[in-house]
Amino acid sequence: MDPPRGRATENSRRCQTDGVAPSQESQSRLLADGDASAGTAEESSADESHKERIDRELSELLQGLRVMVTGVQVVFAFLLAMPFQSGFAKVDTSGHWLFFIALTGSATASVCFITPAVQHRLLFRTGLKEKIVHRANELGLVGAVSLAVAITSGAALVAEVVLGNWLAIVFGAAAALATCWLWLLQPIIDLRRQATADPPQTTHNED
């Protein structure tokens, strides 16, 4: 009577191990596939050629400029329609100055953000794509500063017409501080923290 029981226990153990083994194998396969995909992604970024890097940087830059152009278009359209409104006659001299500063800033930002796409079309297949990337980066920074000036002046103008001079100063200062902190100071702080966290490695000559 003992051998059949032993065989039954062995069979049950085999069934249990057979039931557990596929799940463990599937999990190990998933982990291996994940490691393999991560490895291939790192290898692809490491093995990226100079031309592929320039193409990627240009596409990322143009995509970011498209987002900025949308904001500029809203501000620019608002400013262009403002002089034709009936309430614009109530704006005083300081309001007129704020309007022209905002209009100039939004126009400058529009030109800076649209220029890379236009130059990319004009310089198509000329081998100057890397120069376009560097120039577009510079124009993007100039356009961002111009857009910050336009937003600050536009907010101050609306606040002056609706609330008065003192609150216009408060709203303009708040917009200026927000754009300076988010667009300029935070990236500079991140760059300095990265520079201090990852100091350049110095090579020592062995005697």
Side-chain angles (χ1 to χ4, degrees):
M1 298 296 291
D2 292 335
R5 291 180 181 177
R7 292 177 182 177
T9 54
E10 290 179 359
N11 292 329
S12 63
R13 289 176 182 175
R14 289 178 181 177
C15 292
Q16 290 177 357
T17 54
D18 292 339
V20 175
S23 62
Q24 292 178 351
E25 290 179 359
S26 62
Q27 291 178 358
S28 62
R29 288 177 182 176
L30 289 175
L31 293 174
D33 293 337
D35 295 336
S37 62
T40 55
E42 292 178 356
E43 290 176 358
S44 62
S45 61
D47 297 336
E48 188 179 23
S49 64
H50 180 71
K51 182 178 181 301
E52 291 174 350
R53 181 176 62 83
I54 295 299
D55 293 337
R56 176 179 56 81
E57 291 177 353
L58 182 60
S59 63
E60 292 176 355
L61 186 59
L62 292 178
Q63 185 177 0
L65 292 177
R66 291 190 190 99
V67 177
M68 295 181 180
V69 166
T70 304
V72 172
Q73 288 176 347
V74 174
V75 177
F76 198 31
F78 168 74
L79 293 172
L80 289 177
M82 182 176 288
F84 302 99
Q85 302 296 325
S86 60
F88 190 76
K90 301 178 182 178
V91 179
D92 56 2
T93 304
S94 59
H96 288 166
W97 278 107
L98 289 174
F99 169 76
F100 282 112
I101 291 173
L103 185 65
T104 303
S106 60
T108 304
S110 299
V111 173
C112 291
F113 292 153
I114 296 173
T115 297
V118 177
Q119 290 191 0
H120 182 254
R121 291 296 88 197
L122 293 175
L123 300 177
F124 184 65
R125 291 184 178 178
T126 58
L128 299 175
K129 188 175 293 185
E130 186 173 2
K131 182 177 290 186
I132 295 173
V133 171
H134 292 289
R135 187 177 297 167
N137 187 35
E138 297 174 354
L139 290 172
L141 295 176
V142 175
V145 174
S146 301
L147 180 58
V149 172
I151 292 174
T152 302
S153 303
L157 174 61
V158 174
E160 183 188 12
V161 174
V162 178
L163 300 175
N165 292 328
W166 287 105
L167 290 176
I169 296 174
V170 172
F171 272 86
L177 290 175
T179 53
C180 287
W181 170 252
L182 295 174
W183 295 2
L184 183 63
L185 295 180
Q186 271 192 343
I188 292 176
I189 292 173
D190 292 335
L191 289 175
R192 289 185 177 179
R193 288 178 178 176
Q194 185 178 7
T196 55
D198 298 330
Q201 297 180 355
T202 57
T203 57
H204 299 282
N205 294 325
E206 296 180 356
D207 295 336

